[in-house]
Structure formats: C-alpha cells, structure tokens
Amino acid sequence: QRADMKTALADVVGIVLVMLLVEGVVGIGITPFTDPHGVFVAPTGVIFVADAGNNRVVMDMKGGYRETIGIGLSQPADVVADGGKTGYVYIADAGNNRIVRLSGLYNYAVGSPTFNFALAAAPSQLSLGTGLKDPQSISVNGLGDIFVADTGNNRVVEINRTAPYKQTTVLTGLKAPLALLCDPFYTRAVFVANTGAGTVVEILANHH
C-alpha cells in the first residue's frame, strides 16, 4: 500500500509540475529567448526583455512567471518603462520602424510586483514615431519624454510624452547609433553610443 501511495503521490506531483510549466509559473520549459536585445529592470523587480528573435517582449516576474506583452512586434530591439505615475512601457519595434507605447502595466513597471496579471485589464497599445528606420534604443527622461536612437537614419529624435506626441530631431550626422540613455536626475543630458564612429556623444539638456 505504501508503494501504491508513493506512486500515486509521484503521479500527482508530476501532473502539478506539468500544469505549472504550461502556465509558465515554473521558469523552465518555457519558450527560450532568441537573440534578446534590450533589457529593463523595473523598481518592482520585474524584468522586461526585448526578445527580438521571437518578435516579442517578455515580462519576467518573481517566481519564474513570464508574460508576453505587445502585439504585432517585429524584431523589438529595446524596452523601457517611464517609472512615473503613468507606468507606460515603451518598445523600440525596430522591424516595424516605430515606437510602441503600452499602458495598463503600472503595477509591474511602478507598483506592486505581486499584482495578478490574470485579473488585470489587457494593456492598450499605441504606435508612436514618424519616419523612423530601424530604431534600436529608447530611453525616457525625467519629464517622461522619449528619446530614440533612430539607427537607420543616423540620428536621435525626441517624442513628446503627451498628445499630439510631437517629434523633434535632436541630433543628426551620427553613424549607426545603437544605444542611448537619459540622465533624469542631474544634468538631464542624453548619452548616445555612436557605434559606427566608435564614440559616445553627450546631448545637453538644451539640445545644443
């Protein structure tokens, strides 16, 4: 009888593990990343990964649970959250030559990391940017405005955080800029990896 009980218990444990794997609660057996590019860690501890090879962005939460966010992405190169009251998540959707803004993810980007995604409303999605070409990097300054390394156009553009989302070319003449980062705390400058030229460029807060 003990042997039968052990066998039955093993069967139950096996079934539970399979269910957890299917639901993505256990962080093994999940679709592996393929050519991941950008990574962003929110204050909540949630990790956002731009999984370019799988045309998706993944939220990796505590306990190994993963959730795919964003619709119709193509080779997403970078992802960032604004960290403010809105909790917007921005994606450099390189293959579609656009920036994607996701709302409805505040609890992951800013709020509670234990928020139940299953009980939340589906995030809404908005496309931003005009004339972009293969944008590879994105960053948000302390005001919530978005800066984009518009790699294919060898420039940096700024997109205003509010409608009508005015887009301004901040710097041209770059060579394949692949990464940028805003300093929201002190200088409010933007630092750009001007990869093709082998330099790092600082854009001052007044853009001069």
Side-chain angles (χ1 to χ4, degrees):
Q1 290 181 345
R2 289 184 179 179
D4 292 340
M5 290 179 63
K6 289 182 179 180
T7 301
L9 181 59
D11 290 342
V12 170
V13 171
I15 292 172
V16 170
L17 285 174
V18 169
M19 292 175 65
L20 291 175
L21 287 172
V22 170
E23 294 299 324
V25 176
V26 177
I28 57 174
I30 302 172
T31 301
F33 294 125
T34 303
D35 195 24
H37 277 43
V39 177
F40 177 80
V41 181
T44 58
V46 174
I47 304 168
F48 294 82
V49 181
D51 187 16
N54 286 319
N55 299 312
R56 64 178 183 171
V57 168
V58 175
M59 290 195 309
D60 198 325
M61 289 164 270
K62 294 180 179 179
Y65 181 77
R66 288 181 180 177
E67 183 70 32
T68 298
I69 57 175
I71 299 173
L73 302 178
S74 176
Q75 297 180 321
D78 200 10
V79 58
V80 67
D82 66 6
K85 295 181 180 179
T86 57
Y88 291 137
V89 174
Y90 295 95
I91 302 168
D93 191 15
N96 287 320
N97 301 312
R98 64 176 181 170
I99 302 302
V100 171
R101 189 191 76 182
L102 298 177
S103 58
L105 296 171
Y106 174 88
N107 290 283
Y108 296 100
V110 182
S112 170
T114 59
F115 183 73
N116 190 338
F117 191 90
L119 301 178
S124 60
Q125 182 167 311
L126 176 69
S127 293
L128 301 174
T130 58
L132 301 179
K133 184 178 180 182
D134 192 30
Q136 287 291 311
S137 185
I138 187 169
S139 187
V140 181
N141 68 9
L143 299 175
D145 296 322
I146 309 107
F147 286 79
V148 182
D150 189 13
T151 307
N153 288 319
N154 298 307
R155 64 177 182 170
V156 171
V157 302
E158 178 184 4
I159 302 174
N160 191 270
R161 65 189 181 282
T162 58
Y165 310 108
K166 179 183 177 181
Q167 179 174 307
T168 304
T169 299
V170 175
L171 184 63
T172 60
L174 301 173
K175 292 185 178 180
L178 286 180
L180 57 72
L181 184 66
C182 296
D183 175 6
F185 302 108
Y186 301 104
T187 64
R188 286 176 51 198
V190 180
F191 297 89
V192 185
N194 190 22
T195 307
T199 60
V200 174
V201 178
E202 179 183 2
I203 305 174
L204 300 178
N206 59 8
H207 300 168
H208 294 156

